[in-house]
Amino acid sequence: MNDDIDALVRDLTDEMSRAYRAYSAAAGLNLSDMMAIGYVRSHGKEATPSAVARHLGMSSGATAIMINRLEAEGYLTRSQHPTDRRVTLLSLGPTTQEERFRPFSRGPQPLHETVLAQYSGEELDVVKRFLGDILHGLRARTDALAERGKGKGAPTD
């Protein structure tokens, strides 16, 4: 039973990676660009260049180049934090509101709505708990691997 679940989770993560690569290509962006835009969308007022760099595992220099490009193309905008002038905040730019970008802004939501409609509230509670636990475990494992890789010549970009 656990082997079946492990295989399904592995297949799900593989398919989600494939979907993000396909979304990126269809939007005319590379995967890091799309992931940065997604991070800013989901983290709203807390999205900073350093947070994006940590999320993507990129150096601050590479992240700055990417953000400059995304800002020039209208995908992101920068502003100063309202109370701390040292902090730069990122938000979605006007390009993400254009009609051509809309199919990518909702991501897999229409599929989720179709699939989730088949489950009861109690079943959805179990699914939410399971996915939350998997996400928490993956984040902890990824953070530990990233920490272990520091200083061992592992690429950061």
Side-chain angles (χ1 to χ4, degrees), residues 36 39-41 43-52 67 71 75-93:
Y39 182 87
V40 170
R41 174 182 292 112
H43 286 81
K45 295 176 180 20
E46 299 171 15
T48 63
S50 59
V52 170
I67 290 171
E71 184 178 36
Y75 288 102
L76 296 178
T77 60
R78 294 181 213 213
S79 61
Q80 282 188 318
H81 191 281
T83 60
D84 187 348
R85 297 177 52 87
R86 298 169 297 172
V87 177
T88 298
L89 296 175
L90 300 171
S91 57
L92 296 179

Side-chain angles (χ1 to χ4, degrees), residues 56-117:
L56 297 178
M58 293 172 64
S59 69
S60 59
T63 303
I65 291 167
M66 177 187 64
I67 290 171
N68 288 342
R69 185 180 64 255
L70 292 173
E71 184 178 36
E73 295 171 6
Y75 288 102
L76 296 178
T77 60
R78 294 181 213 213
S79 61
Q80 282 188 318
H81 191 281
T83 60
D84 187 348
R85 297 177 52 87
R86 298 169 297 172
V87 177
T88 298
L89 296 175
L90 300 171
S91 57
L92 296 179
T95 303
T96 63
Q97 302 305 312
E98 291 177 4
E99 187 63 37
R100 68 180 180 86
F101 199 78
R102 283 213 179 100
F104 311 107
S105 65
R106 290 191 71 207
Q109 190 174 355
L111 174 64
H112 291 178
E113 290 169 355
T114 303
V115 172
L116 294 179

Side-chain angles (χ1 to χ4, degrees), residues 6 13-14 18 37 47 62 83 87 101-102 105 116-117 124 129 131 133:
D6 287 345
T13 56
D14 288 348
R18 199 169 80 85
I37 292 166
T83 60
V87 177
F101 199 78
R102 283 213 179 100
S105 65
L116 294 179
L124 291 175
R129 192 177 93 230
L131 291 174
D133 291 347

Side-chain angles (χ1 to χ4, degrees), residues 32 130 142:
S32 294
F130 173 77
T142 302

